[in-house]
Amino acid sequence: MALSIRPIDPARPEFAGEVSDIDIARGASAADAAAIDAGMDRYAVLVFHDQQITDAQQYAFSQNFGPMEKATGDIAARGERRLSMDINDISNLDQAGKVLARDDRRRLFNLGNRLWHSDSSFKPTPAKYSLLSARVIPKAEGDTEFADMRAAWDALDPAMQRECRELVCEHSQLFSRGLLGFDDFTEEQRRQWRPVPQRLVRRHPKTGRLSLFLSSHAGVIRGWPVPEARAFLRDLTEHATQRQFVYAHRWRPFDLVMWDNRVVMHRGRRFDETQMRDMHRTTVADSSPTLDQPGA
Ligand SMILES: [Fe+2]
Protein backbone atom coordinates (compact mmCIF):
# COMPACT_ATOMS: atom_id res chain seq x y z
CA MET A 1 0.00 0.00 0.00
CA ALA A 2 1.36 3.40 -0.95
CA LEU A 3 1.83 5.89 1.85
CA SER A 4 -0.39 8.93 2.09
CA ILE A 5 0.12 12.40 3.55
CA ARG A 6 -2.53 14.83 4.69
CA PRO A 7 -2.33 18.23 6.40
CA ILE A 8 -2.66 18.00 10.18
CA ASP A 9 -4.68 21.22 10.16
CA PRO A 10 -6.84 21.50 7.04
CA ALA A 11 -6.95 25.27 7.58
CA ARG A 12 -3.18 25.33 7.02
CA PRO A 13 -2.60 23.01 4.06
CA GLU A 14 1.04 23.98 3.44
CA PHE A 15 2.52 23.36 6.90
CA ALA A 16 2.80 20.14 8.98
CA GLY A 17 1.56 16.89 7.50
CA GLU A 18 0.75 13.46 8.88
CA VAL A 19 2.01 10.38 7.07
CA SER A 20 0.09 7.08 7.07
CA ASP A 21 0.71 3.61 5.74
CA ILE A 22 4.42 3.26 6.27
CA ASP A 23 6.29 1.00 8.68
CA ILE A 24 9.68 2.61 9.12
CA ALA A 25 11.08 -0.45 10.90
CA ARG A 26 10.73 -2.30 7.59
CA GLY A 27 12.45 0.48 5.63
CA ALA A 28 11.23 2.75 2.88
CA SER A 29 10.94 1.86 -0.80
CA ALA A 30 12.32 4.29 -3.38
CA ALA A 31 8.72 5.38 -4.06
CA ASP A 32 8.11 5.96 -0.32
CA ALA A 33 11.29 8.02 0.00
CA ALA A 34 10.34 10.13 -3.04
CA ALA A 35 6.85 10.73 -1.65
CA ILE A 36 8.30 11.76 1.72
CA ASP A 37 10.77 14.10 0.04
CA ALA A 38 7.93 15.73 -1.90
CA GLY A 39 5.90 15.91 1.31
CA MET A 40 8.79 17.66 3.06
CA ASP A 41 9.02 20.22 0.26
CA ARG A 42 5.37 21.03 0.80
CA TYR A 43 4.75 20.60 4.55
CA ALA A 44 8.26 21.12 6.06
CA VAL A 45 7.17 19.03 9.08
CA LEU A 46 5.95 15.43 8.85
CA VAL A 47 4.57 13.31 11.68
CA PHE A 48 4.67 9.51 11.64
CA HIS A 49 2.71 7.84 14.46
CA ASP A 50 3.31 4.41 16.03
CA GLN A 51 6.84 3.82 14.76
CA GLN A 52 8.58 1.45 17.18
CA ILE A 53 12.09 1.61 15.80
CA THR A 54 15.64 0.92 16.85
CA ASP A 55 18.48 3.39 16.35
CA ALA A 56 19.73 1.31 13.42
CA GLN A 57 16.30 1.40 11.75
CA GLN A 58 15.98 5.13 12.33
CA TYR A 59 19.44 5.71 10.88
CA ALA A 60 18.78 3.53 7.83
CA PHE A 61 15.51 5.35 7.14
CA SER A 62 17.18 8.77 7.54
CA GLN A 63 19.88 7.87 5.04
CA ASN A 64 17.30 7.97 2.26
CA PHE A 65 17.37 11.75 2.44
CA GLY A 66 21.05 12.65 2.19
CA PRO A 67 24.43 12.42 3.94
CA MET A 68 24.24 11.98 7.71
CA GLU A 69 25.64 14.25 10.40
CA LYS A 70 27.57 13.07 13.43
CA ALA A 71 26.39 14.21 16.86
CA THR A 72 29.24 16.68 17.29
CA GLY A 73 26.88 19.36 18.65
CA ASP A 74 26.26 17.47 21.91
CA ILE A 75 28.19 18.59 25.00
CA ALA A 76 28.70 15.16 26.60
CA ALA A 77 32.33 14.04 26.40
CA ARG A 78 32.91 10.77 24.56
CA GLY A 79 33.21 8.81 27.78
CA GLU A 80 29.91 10.26 29.01
CA ARG A 81 27.87 9.46 25.91
CA ARG A 82 24.81 7.22 26.22
CA LEU A 83 24.23 6.80 22.47
CA SER A 84 26.45 6.37 19.43
CA MET A 85 27.85 9.36 17.54
CA ASP A 86 25.21 8.72 14.86
CA ILE A 87 22.43 9.75 17.26
CA ASN A 88 21.87 13.11 18.95
CA ASP A 89 20.82 12.42 22.52
CA ILE A 90 17.69 14.52 23.15
CA SER A 91 17.02 13.12 26.60
CA ASN A 92 17.45 14.06 30.23
CA LEU A 93 19.38 10.86 31.00
CA ASP A 94 22.94 9.89 31.88
CA GLN A 95 24.79 6.82 30.53
CA ALA A 96 23.17 4.63 33.17
CA GLY A 97 19.69 5.79 32.08
CA LYS A 98 19.16 7.89 35.20
CA VAL A 99 17.56 11.33 35.08
CA LEU A 100 20.28 14.03 35.18
CA ALA A 101 20.63 16.08 38.34
CA ARG A 102 19.13 19.55 38.21
CA ASP A 103 22.56 21.22 38.13
CA ASP A 104 24.22 18.73 35.77
CA ARG A 105 26.21 20.60 33.11
CA ARG A 106 24.73 18.45 30.31
CA ARG A 107 21.20 19.28 31.42
CA LEU A 108 21.94 23.01 31.66
CA PHE A 109 23.46 22.95 28.18
CA ASN A 110 20.47 21.01 26.81
CA LEU A 111 18.11 23.70 28.11
CA GLY A 112 19.23 25.63 25.03
CA ASN A 113 16.71 23.44 23.15
CA ARG A 114 13.96 25.51 24.76
CA LEU A 115 15.00 28.47 22.61
CA TRP A 116 13.80 28.72 19.01
CA HIS A 117 16.51 27.35 16.76
CA SER A 118 17.41 25.51 13.60
CA ASP A 119 19.45 22.35 14.24
CA SER A 120 23.18 22.62 13.54
CA SER A 121 22.96 26.19 12.22
CA PHE A 122 26.24 26.52 14.16
CA LYS A 123 27.95 24.09 11.77
CA PRO A 124 29.53 25.37 8.53
CA THR A 125 27.16 23.12 6.60
CA PRO A 126 24.00 23.08 8.72
CA ALA A 127 21.33 20.40 8.98
CA LYS A 128 18.79 19.69 6.29
CA TYR A 129 16.37 17.29 8.00
CA SER A 130 16.09 16.25 11.63
CA LEU A 131 14.21 13.07 12.58
CA LEU A 132 13.19 12.83 16.22
CA SER A 133 11.92 9.56 17.65
CA ALA A 134 10.03 9.56 20.95
CA ARG A 135 11.04 6.46 22.91
CA VAL A 136 9.93 7.54 26.39
CA ILE A 137 7.97 10.71 27.09
CA PRO A 138 6.77 12.43 30.26
CA LYS A 139 3.10 12.05 31.20
CA ALA A 140 2.28 15.60 30.18
CA GLU A 141 3.80 18.71 28.59
CA GLY A 142 7.10 18.73 26.72
CA ASP A 143 5.58 19.61 23.33
CA THR A 144 7.87 20.48 20.46
CA GLU A 145 6.83 23.58 18.54
CA PHE A 146 7.65 24.33 14.93
CA ALA A 147 7.51 27.74 13.23
CA ASP A 148 7.21 28.13 9.45
CA MET A 149 9.97 30.48 8.28
CA ARG A 150 8.53 30.60 4.73
CA ALA A 151 5.23 32.02 5.97
CA ALA A 152 7.16 34.35 8.30
CA TRP A 153 9.15 35.67 5.33
CA ASP A 154 6.01 36.12 3.21
CA ALA A 155 4.39 38.13 6.00
CA LEU A 156 7.30 40.57 6.43
CA ASP A 157 6.69 43.98 5.00
CA PRO A 158 8.66 44.76 1.82
CA ALA A 159 10.99 47.26 3.53
CA MET A 160 12.05 44.62 6.08
CA GLN A 161 12.45 42.06 3.33
CA ARG A 162 14.78 44.44 1.48
CA GLU A 163 16.81 45.03 4.62
CA CYS A 164 17.18 41.31 5.29
CA ARG A 165 17.96 40.07 1.80
CA GLU A 166 21.74 40.30 1.69
CA LEU A 167 22.52 39.93 5.39
CA VAL A 168 24.95 37.31 6.68
CA CYS A 169 24.78 36.22 10.32
CA GLU A 170 27.26 34.31 12.45
CA HIS A 171 25.97 31.36 14.45
CA SER A 172 27.49 29.58 17.44
CA GLN A 173 26.31 27.46 20.34
CA LEU A 174 28.27 29.88 22.49
CA PHE A 175 25.74 32.58 21.54
CA SER A 176 22.61 30.51 22.18
CA ARG A 177 23.84 29.22 25.54
CA GLY A 178 25.02 32.70 26.42
CA LEU A 179 21.39 33.84 26.20
CA LEU A 180 20.64 31.51 29.12
CA GLY A 181 23.72 32.51 31.07
CA PHE A 182 25.51 29.23 30.37
CA ASP A 183 29.21 29.58 29.56
CA ASP A 184 30.73 26.42 31.01
CA PHE A 185 32.66 25.46 27.86
CA THR A 186 36.08 23.88 27.57
CA GLU A 187 38.72 25.56 25.39
CA GLU A 188 38.27 22.75 22.89
CA GLN A 189 34.51 23.39 22.71
CA ARG A 190 35.10 27.11 22.20
CA ARG A 191 37.35 26.26 19.26
CA GLN A 192 35.04 23.60 17.89
CA TRP A 193 31.98 25.87 18.08
CA ARG A 194 33.50 29.14 16.89
CA PRO A 195 30.98 31.22 14.91
CA VAL A 196 30.16 30.26 11.33
CA PRO A 197 28.51 32.44 8.65
CA GLN A 198 24.96 31.77 7.41
CA ARG A 199 22.68 33.68 5.09
CA LEU A 200 19.68 35.26 6.78
CA VAL A 201 17.43 34.65 3.78
CA ARG A 202 17.47 31.36 1.91
CA ARG A 203 15.87 30.12 -1.24
CA HIS A 204 14.56 26.55 -1.26
CA PRO A 205 16.43 24.62 -3.96
CA LYS A 206 13.31 22.88 -5.30
CA THR A 207 10.31 25.11 -4.59
CA GLY A 208 12.19 28.43 -4.94
CA ARG A 209 10.37 29.77 -1.86
CA LEU A 210 12.25 32.22 0.33
CA SER A 211 12.51 31.80 4.08
CA LEU A 212 14.16 33.40 7.08
CA PHE A 213 17.09 31.41 8.42
CA LEU A 214 16.86 32.36 12.08
CA SER A 215 18.16 30.52 15.12
CA SER A 216 19.03 31.36 18.71
CA HIS A 217 22.58 30.41 17.65
CA ALA A 218 22.75 33.64 15.58
CA GLY A 219 24.56 36.33 17.56
CA VAL A 220 26.23 38.54 14.94
CA ILE A 221 25.19 40.22 11.70
CA ARG A 222 28.30 40.89 9.65
CA GLY A 223 29.04 44.60 9.37
CA TRP A 224 26.60 45.58 12.15
CA PRO A 225 27.28 46.63 15.75
CA VAL A 226 26.49 43.64 17.97
CA PRO A 227 23.69 45.18 20.10
CA GLU A 228 21.93 46.45 16.98
CA ALA A 229 22.23 43.02 15.36
CA ARG A 230 20.86 41.24 18.42
CA ALA A 231 17.95 43.65 18.77
CA PHE A 232 17.16 43.16 15.08
CA LEU A 233 17.35 39.36 15.28
CA ARG A 234 15.18 39.41 18.38
CA ASP A 235 12.52 41.49 16.59
CA LEU A 236 12.63 39.17 13.59
CA THR A 237 12.33 36.09 15.81
CA GLU A 238 9.38 37.62 17.62
CA HIS A 239 7.69 38.23 14.28
CA ALA A 240 8.53 34.78 12.92
CA THR A 241 7.25 32.82 15.91
CA GLN A 242 3.78 34.34 16.19
CA ARG A 243 1.18 31.67 16.83
CA GLN A 244 -0.21 31.77 13.29
CA PHE A 245 3.14 30.40 12.06
CA VAL A 246 3.42 27.68 14.72
CA TYR A 247 2.47 24.02 14.87
CA ALA A 248 2.74 22.58 18.39
CA HIS A 249 3.35 18.84 18.41
CA ARG A 250 1.91 16.95 21.37
CA TRP A 251 4.00 13.77 21.56
CA ARG A 252 2.67 10.23 21.71
CA PRO A 253 5.03 7.34 22.45
CA PHE A 254 6.79 6.15 19.26
CA ASP A 255 6.00 9.23 17.22
CA LEU A 256 8.68 10.09 14.72
CA VAL A 257 8.69 13.72 13.62
CA MET A 258 10.80 14.90 10.72
CA TRP A 259 11.39 18.56 9.85
CA ASP A 260 13.29 20.69 7.40
CA ASN A 261 15.72 22.92 9.29
CA ARG A 262 16.25 25.05 6.20
CA VAL A 263 12.71 26.44 6.49
CA VAL A 264 11.56 25.71 10.05
CA MET A 265 12.61 26.76 13.54
CA HIS A 266 11.63 24.66 16.53
CA ARG A 267 11.85 24.57 20.31
CA GLY A 268 11.18 22.06 23.07
CA ARG A 269 8.72 23.08 25.77
CA ARG A 270 9.03 22.71 29.50
CA PHE A 271 8.04 19.53 31.33
CA ASP A 272 8.45 17.93 34.75
CA GLU A 273 12.11 16.94 34.66
CA THR A 274 11.84 14.44 37.47
CA GLN A 275 10.23 12.29 34.76
CA MET A 276 12.17 10.51 32.06
CA ARG A 277 12.19 11.85 28.53
CA ASP A 278 14.11 9.85 25.97
CA MET A 279 14.23 11.07 22.38
CA HIS A 280 16.70 10.02 19.69
CA ARG A 281 17.53 12.33 16.81
CA THR A 282 19.15 11.49 13.51
CA THR A 283 20.23 14.39 11.36
CA VAL A 284 20.64 14.70 7.61
CA ALA A 285 23.23 17.29 6.59
CA ASP A 286 22.58 19.92 3.97
CA SER A 287 24.63 19.79 0.76
CA SER A 288 26.80 22.90 1.35
CA PRO A 289 27.25 26.04 3.47
CA THR A 290 24.39 28.49 2.97
CA LEU A 291 26.72 31.11 1.43
CA ASP A 292 27.34 28.65 -1.40
CA GLN A 293 23.59 28.40 -2.02
CA PRO A 294 21.13 30.83 -3.60
CA GLY A 295 19.70 33.55 -1.40
CA ALA A 296 17.01 36.13 -2.05
FE1 LIG B 1 16.75 21.08 18.00
Side-chain angles (χ1 to χ4, degrees):
M1 189 168 179
L3 65 78
S4 60
I5 309 180
R6 60 166 192 85
I8 289 173
D9 177 0
R12 192 157 49 178
E14 301 293 325
F15 186 49
E18 183 181 322
V19 185
S20 323
D21 301 311
I22 181 168
D23 180 358
I24 290 172
R26 297 173 59 178
S29 66
D32 287 341
I36 291 166
D37 245 333
M40 289 295 284
D41 290 343
R42 172 170 169 182
Y43 293 104
V45 179
L46 290 177
V47 174
F48 305 74
H49 291 301
D50 306 314
Q51 303 293 333
Q52 288 211 37
I53 49 176
T54 64
D55 287 352
Q57 289 163 341
Q58 182 176 342
Y59 192 84
F61 175 70
S62 306
Q63 278 185 304
N64 286 298
F65 308 104
M68 301 297 292
E69 269 191 12
K70 293 287 182 195
T72 51
D74 290 357
I75 202 171
R78 273 188 189 256
E80 294 179 320
R81 283 194 66 84
R82 190 174 66 98
L83 307 174
S84 89
M85 283 300 288
D86 290 332
I87 309 285
N88 280 91
D89 189 350
I90 314 295
S91 76
N92 58 355
L93 306 175
D94 67 13
Q95 311 95 294
K98 252 181 60 236
V99 170
L100 295 169
R102 187 172 191 179
D103 61 352
D104 191 288
R105 176 171 170 267
R106 291 165 288 181
R107 171 176 182 268
L108 301 181
F109 175 83
N110 291 342
L111 286 171
N113 289 326
R114 297 257 196 92
L115 305 178
W116 287 107
H117 66 283
S118 175
D119 284 336
S120 301
S121 75
F122 55 86
K123 294 184 179 178
T125 292
K128 179 184 170 193
Y129 296 159
S130 292
L131 298 93
L132 189 57
S133 164
R135 309 293 174 84
V136 179
I137 56 172
K139 283 194 202 70
E141 306 178 302
D143 289 3
T144 301
E145 295 184 342
F146 300 91
D148 185 349
M149 296 297 106
R150 306 163 303 178
W153 167 263
D154 292 344
L156 272 184
D157 69 65
M160 268 300 266
Q161 289 185 340
R162 263 195 307 281
E163 191 154 19
C164 289
R165 271 176 200 276
E166 297 302 323
L167 295 179
V168 175
C169 299
E170 292 184 2
H171 294 230
S172 169
Q173 298 212 96
L174 308 182
F175 295 144
S176 50
R177 272 51 187 186
L179 293 171
L180 295 181
F182 179 95
D183 63 356
D184 187 8
F185 296 105
T186 64
E187 276 315 307
E188 188 192 339
Q189 284 161 344
R190 286 178 199 280
R191 266 195 309 278
Q192 183 187 351
W193 293 331
R194 63 184 172 273
V196 300
Q198 304 291 2
R199 283 184 186 285
L200 179 58
V201 183
R202 304 182 66 173
R203 184 180 292 280
H204 190 285
K206 280 194 262 172
T207 66
R209 279 189 82 176
L210 297 178
S211 58
L212 284 169
F213 193 51
L214 288 168
S215 189
S216 60
H217 305 308
V220 167
I221 299 175
R222 285 194 169 170
W224 286 35
V226 168
E228 188 181 353
R230 295 206 180 166
F232 185 79
L233 291 169
R234 191 176 276 232
D235 280 350
L236 269 183
T237 300
E238 200 173 299
H239 159 79
T241 57
Q242 295 175 82
R243 296 316 286 181
Q244 70 262 34
F245 305 132
V246 171
Y247 162 64
H249 185 69
R250 168 64 42 95
W251 290 95
R252 300 185 346 204
F254 307 114
D255 278 350
L256 180 93
V257 179
M258 176 173 180
W259 66 90
D260 187 342
N261 289 290
R262 299 172 300 180
V263 301
V264 164
M265 274 207 293
H266 63 284
R267 65 173 176 179
R269 301 296 274 158
R270 192 164 187 270
F271 62 97
D272 171 5
E273 285 213 48
T274 62
Q275 294 182 36
M276 189 187 280
R277 186 181 198 245
D278 187 9
M279 304 245 184
H280 294 204
R281 193 187 91 206
T282 42
T283 316
V284 179
D286 202 356
S287 51
S288 60
T290 56
L291 289 180
D292 297 343
Q293 297 179 9

